[in-house]
Amino acid sequence: MEEIQIITPEELKKKLEEGEKLELVDVREYEEVEQGMIPGAKHIRMGEIPANLDYFDKDKEYIFICRSSARSGNVCYYLQEQGFKVRNMIGGMLAWPGEVK
């Protein structure tokens, strides 16, 4: 299995502050995202990822986010096997230093 690329919450926050256009996907459950998501992130629950493969574009890189980075890591492995460019935000929302909406 190929290693998953990661991004730290601090690196992600800096990229967003610099205005980079990033594809963020939050894979947490509904009750978790009610507590706040990174602005601009799309919410697709982990269990709904296989049914939403047509949302993803193989020419773009996606950054996946969950509470602690375990579920998003699993999603990254799955999508990488499908040929997508993925990155896992290490530490998840527990480590997110920025604002949420």
Side-chain angles (χ1 to χ4, degrees):
M1 224 173 348
E2 202 178 321
E3 197 174 323
I4 296 296
Q5 295 295 309
I6 62 162
I7 187 167
T8 67
E10 294 76 21
E11 287 170 324
L12 179 57
K13 183 175 185 273
K14 186 171 188 277
K15 285 177 178 286
L16 291 171
E17 286 169 350
E18 290 169 352
E20 260 189 70
K21 175 95 176 78
L22 302 169
E23 297 289 337
L24 308 177
V25 181
D26 192 319
V27 300
R28 296 176 297 158
E29 295 298 319
Y30 295 117
E31 61 274 10
E32 293 175 290
V33 298
E34 284 172 7
Q35 296 164 20
M37 284 173 53
I38 297 172
K42 175 155 178 67
H43 180 223
I44 305 175
R45 289 172 43 236
M46 179 176 158
E48 295 172 352
I49 293 287
N52 283 282
L53 285 181
D54 56 348
Y55 167 77
F56 300 101
D57 178 342
K58 291 192 176 174
D59 293 330
K60 294 180 180 175
E61 179 183 74
Y62 296 89
I63 297 171
F64 288 89
I65 302 153
C66 70
R67 189 181 74 88
S68 67
S69 73
R71 283 175 286 174
S72 53
N74 288 334
V75 169
C76 284
Y77 278 114
Y78 172 75
L79 287 173
Q80 188 167 277
E81 284 175 1
Q82 311 296 316
F84 294 99
K85 289 183 259 190
V86 297
R87 210 174 260 255
N88 191 14
M89 186 179 87
I90 209 73
M93 290 302 286
L94 292 174
W96 177 247
E99 63 178 74
V100 296
K101 67 169 177 82

